[in-house]
Amino acid sequence: MICLVQTSNDQLAILGGQPTRSELLPYGRQWIDDTDIESVIQTLKSPFLTQGPRIKEFENSVAQYVGAKYAVSFSNGTAALHGACFAAGIGEGDEVITTPMTFAASANCVRYCGGTVVFADIESDTYNIDKFKIKSLLTPKTKAIIPVDFTGQPADMDEIMELARDRNLVVIEDAAHSLGADYKGRKVGSIADMTMFSFHPVKHVTTGEGGIITTNSLEYYEKLLLFRSHGITRDKDLLEHKNEGDWYYEMHELGFNYRITDIQAALGSSQLSKLDGFVARRKAIAQQYNEAFAMNATLITPFQKSDRESSWHLYIIQLKLDELKVGRKEVFDALRKENIGVNVHYLPVHYHPYYKNLGYEKGIADVAETLYQGIISLPLFPAMLDSDIQDVVNAVEKVLGYYRRT
Ligand SMILES: *Cc1c(COP(=O)(O)O)cnc(C)c1O
């Protein structure tokens, strides 16, 4: 066959050139090994597929890892956030402050309980919720704050906890991105009143679907247990009728069936034993990106505060759109054609039609809205090979080099 068009390695794939790699590299992916598989098989052969001993074991391991007294697992992270909002007593008329730069679930959990979401803008350097913006949005109706440790870097938790303490607010930390992260020498998971982790396959460790709340409060712990299992209790001390027999139970709250299975919990425990290695690899990859892009004048690499250590769920570059001839969409499309599975995290939550229809308008979070125009998430997961990292760097340099204003 004759090639009519001369292609060189420098030609963008989107313009007919050779892609940087032949197979798509996803932005995130689980890492399951034979010991994970073996622990799942053992559970499948055991008497309990659900409501058995693997669940408590997993909860205890997570609680111990993060340094919290209690942990309650859920069928997914979103259900866990719903449980936390229930335990916090959020209801109609309550305002809950969160960030618009997050996955929709951080706000949706407030809506499940009938509360009103208030979006506080983000810091322009860390992209985390801005404590000064939170302060300016507090009202007598404010009931809770849901900071998100965006990309894996903990939010300003000390200041947020202080704002909350002064006003009796509940702080629910959405730590879906920050399992294994450190904040002033402490692991994320025991700082807020309740902390949520997700075990979706793109997160640090996985159970397929799954989530957990960690807390030091016995009161929240008991409410979470109740909520996860239909609002049903068998606790003799709590029953209205105590002498009906051992089979007897009562439903005290309108709960849900939000339980995780023992099969998933077994996978989770096995995965958790590898968490530190996973986080170390994520940090090393982020470091390689930082070094590779340090001199690139068309993008901004992630900023990290010195008193905390991200666990690097995401690596986000911010395009300097003034330095480029095209917008984010063109850069994104070109990188995808190079077979780099870039992504965008996130559409500001108030831009979603559901929130727009509730009356949230553009302009309520300038920093998040402007940031959104230029962000791209690069592939980042522990199983990435060094050659994968090199492919990402080559593709970014190739595409941004081509579109750079001269
Ligand atoms: C993944 C994620 C969730 C929800 O977790 P699921 O387990 O997918 O329900 C919530 N918040 C943030 C920021 C997330 O990234």
Side-chain angles (χ1 to χ4, degrees):
M1 207 173 85
I2 298 164
C3 263
L4 296 177
V5 182
Q6 177 95 38
T7 60
S8 85
N9 276 342
D10 297 2
Q11 177 82 9
L12 298 192
I14 203 167
L15 300 175
Q18 283 289 325
T20 305
R21 52 185 283 134
S22 54
E23 267 176 42
L24 185 76
L25 180 70
Y27 91 87
R29 195 176 60 198
Q30 72 279 9
W31 190 352
I32 302 288
D33 67 15
D34 286 346
T35 61
D36 295 325
I37 293 166
E38 186 52 37
S39 68
V40 169
I41 290 172
Q42 287 308 317
T43 309
L44 285 169
K45 291 175 176 171
S46 80
F48 291 99
L49 299 188
T50 188
Q51 295 179 280
R54 296 287 93 83
I55 293 174
K56 196 88 196 76
E57 271 172 32
F58 178 50
E59 291 170 342
N60 288 344
S61 320
V62 174
Q64 190 182 10
Y65 181 88
V66 304
K69 277 194 193 147
Y70 309 104
V72 180
S73 56
F74 283 83
S75 47
N76 57 68
T78 304
L81 282 173
H82 187 186
C85 287
F86 168 83
I90 292 162
E92 197 106 13
D94 292 330
E95 293 177 357
V96 179
I97 300 175
T98 191
T99 167
M101 188 45 69
T102 184
F103 182 58
S106 315
N108 294 350
C109 57
V110 175
R111 299 293 305 139
Y112 299 154
C113 297
T116 301
V117 182
V118 176
F119 293 107
D121 206 352
I122 57 171
E123 299 176 326
S124 57
D125 53 3
T126 64
Y127 318 151
N128 267 328
I129 194 166
D130 182 333
K131 54 187 176 281
F132 299 110
K133 296 280 168 48
I134 296 177
K135 198 167 179 193
S136 73
L137 290 166
L138 292 166
T139 77
K141 289 181 177 172
T142 309
K143 175 88 180 177
I145 306 171
I146 306 181
V148 178
D149 300 331
F150 188 62
T151 72
Q153 173 166 223
D156 284 342
M157 292 308 298
D158 277 354
E159 291 87 347
I160 291 169
M161 292 308 290
E162 195 179 312
L163 282 178
R165 203 166 30 240
D166 292 347
R167 295 165 183 82
N168 258 320
L169 311 179
V170 184
V171 178
I172 302 166
E173 188 173 356
D174 180 336
H177 295 185
S178 60
L179 181 60
D182 295 291
Y183 179 77
K184 301 187 181 180
R186 292 166 72 184
K187 282 267 176 281
V188 166
S190 68
I191 300 162
D193 297 301
M194 289 177 266
T195 305
M196 183 282 286
F197 299 103
S198 163
F199 306 117
H200 183 277
V202 297
K203 304 289 165 62
H204 297 80
V205 297
T206 191
T207 59
E209 295 279 359
I212 208 163
I213 300 290
T214 57
T215 182
N216 285 328
S217 156
L218 179 61
E219 184 195 335
Y220 291 144
Y221 173 64
E222 288 178 339
K223 283 186 177 162
L224 291 163
L225 286 177
L226 202 64
F227 187 77
R228 175 181 71 176
S229 229
H230 310 278
I232 283 174
T233 183
R234 292 170 184 277
D235 184 340
K236 284 271 190 311
D237 295 336
L238 301 176
L239 296 177
E240 283 191 17
H241 303 280
K242 299 190 194 301
N243 299 314
E244 299 288 323
D246 268 356
W247 65 273
Y248 187 70
Y249 57 84
E250 286 172 357
M251 187 192 130
H252 287 191
E253 298 278 359
L254 184 60
F256 289 75
N257 179 354
Y258 274 165
R259 292 185 300 259
I260 199 168
T261 64
D262 280 64
I263 306 164
Q264 294 167 295
L267 176 57
S269 294
S270 179
Q271 284 265 293
L272 197 67
S273 67
K274 285 163 275 197
L275 173 60
D276 285 339
F278 288 165
V279 171
R281 178 65 181 153
R282 285 177 177 275
K283 283 182 183 170
I285 295 167
Q287 186 66 28
Q288 288 200 47
Y289 282 154
N290 281 341
E291 283 162 18
F293 300 133
M295 304 313 268
N296 191 313
T298 61
L299 61 79
I300 297 169
T301 55
F303 172 80
Q304 301 294 300
K305 291 190 178 176
S306 60
D307 58 358
R308 59 204 79 178
E309 281 228 24
S310 177
S311 55
W312 291 101
H313 167 56
L314 296 175
Y315 189 95
I316 293 183
I317 55 169
Q318 186 188 156
L319 301 178
K320 288 189 183 168
L321 295 170
D322 292 347
E323 304 289 333
L324 296 167
K325 289 184 271 195
V326 295
R328 193 258 314 279
K329 183 184 186 304
E330 289 78 7
V331 173
F332 182 95
D333 289 346
L335 285 167
R336 278 282 177 97
K337 281 281 191 261
E338 299 296 332
N339 277 324
I340 306 300
V342 286
N343 226 307
V344 175
H345 298 92
Y346 294 91
L347 181 73
V349 178
H350 61 290
Y351 278 20
H352 284 291
Y354 169 78
Y355 284 96
K356 206 173 86 191
N357 293 337
L358 285 175
Y360 296 87
E361 286 174 355
K362 283 196 181 177
I364 60 172
D366 260 355
V367 181
E369 292 171 16
T370 306
L371 175 72
Y372 167 66
Q373 309 285 326
I375 45 176
I376 292 180
S377 304
L378 301 183
L380 176 56
F381 53 94
M384 271 176 84
L385 306 173
D386 286 339
S387 59
D388 295 329
I389 303 168
Q390 192 59 57
D391 285 343
V392 176
V393 170
N394 291 346
V396 168
E397 295 293 352
K398 177 181 174 186
V399 168
L400 292 183
Y402 182 83
Y403 287 129
R404 187 178 177 170
R405 265 184 215 286
T406 41

